[in-house]
Amino acid sequence: MSSGLVLYGYWRSSAAYRVRIALNLKGLAWEGRPVHLVKDGGQQHAPDYAAMNPQQLVPSLRDGERVLTQSLAIMEYLDETRPEPPLLPADAEGRTRVRALAQLVACDIHPLGNLRVLQYLERELGADEARRGAWSRHWIAIGFAAMEAMLAGHAATGRYCHGDAPGLADACLVPQVYNARRWKLPLDDYPTIRRIDEACNALEAFRAAAPEAQVDAPVG
Amino acid sequence: MSSGLVLYGYWRSSAAYRVRIALNLKGLAWEGRPVHLVKDGGQQHAPDYAAMNPQQLVPSLRDGERVLTQSLAIMEYLDETRPEPPLLPADAEGRTRVRALAQLVACDIHPLGNLRVLQYLERELGADEARRGAWSRHWIAIGFAAMEAMLAGHAATGRYCHGDAPGLADACLVPQVYNARRWKLPLDDYPTIRRIDEACNALEAFRAAAPEAQVDAPVG
């Protein structure tokens, strides 16, 4: 039973990883189309892909005739067109809290550690691998310190970022924790983040969305 | 007649500027509380403010007892709690398009040109003013090229980013154009963006939200 959903992504892209989690949480069937971000000078720059997504970034989601871009906009769309189970709470106060947590990751951490940014730091500013690593850890650490404070001290935090069902904020948090581990950022100072990450990764929806579970992940 | 809305912002912050536009488009009364991002080592790091907004960024919006953070989450909240006039279209396809345009600015342009990022480039990577300017222009130019393609070629683009009423995408675009001019990025390649920016700035809601119209803007 195909829902006609096609996700253009890359195994290790945080933004694609988020959308995979959202699709899986909703129990939707989807077909993955790998876009290799390095091979061929970056397949996201190929004319066919650029025509579909002028930003030349992943992910893009095709839903029948519609092409959607931007991971947060895609997840909101999924929540509006396939409402169950919801990715956002029903009340305005809860919704803005979940969106703020998601955007803390998607606006204030992830864009700074993106591949194209690291490439610019190396090429134009001569930043070696050690400095690029320090840069990445710096922005994740600042963001996680704020997120830990927002989660640990709040009555609405439950097994997951908001209550006892996983949602939009969790779909953003888990890929960022994956990325933090890649950069070897110690996570000792973020016990609530670690606890929620562990609870999420106990779910099949998150495990099946993991980078290493994708067809385009390198073998071994 | 006070609506009890208090906006903690900074005159030149793009993210605060967005929320000012949204508040004005909805015709809401609000009180501004300036948070100076440089003075006193950055007033956003003061304990009272950090307790309210653990990210130590502007803006924050107080709505009665509630404190909201993240400009996009705040604007979605305003649209849910004060629906008229709407900042988002009614249909799911239109909503995801407007959100994607807004996020193109808020996730993929603005975070890279933020004050804290420019400070890091200078302090840790020795980037002088010329290189910081080149960095800022680079990310705006890439983002605007994609946004121009998404706007110019699309039937839903009207007088504003989506149809003939201003909304969420316009509230993100106009502050980014302001920022582009500050960095002296030539805008010749983005005629649709320029046209929409001009249409927006003909409206009092946008003019009253402009950095120079704020109480904390330097005089003269």
Side-chain angles (χ1 to χ4, degrees), chain A residues 180-192:
Chain A
R181 291 202 171 101
R182 219 182 121 201
W183 286 108
K184 304 197 189 312
L185 176 74
L187 298 174
D188 311 78
D189 291 343
Y190 321 114
T192 315

Side-chain angles (χ1 to χ4, degrees), chain A residues 77-105:
Chain A
Y77 170 87
L78 289 173
D79 218 35
E80 292 181 354
T81 56
R82 284 88 166 171
E84 294 300 327
L87 298 175
L88 285 164
D91 61 304
E93 188 172 7
R95 293 166 75 83
T96 199
R97 177 175 184 258
V98 170
R99 286 183 176 126
L101 290 168
Q103 290 161 17
L104 185 162
V105 172

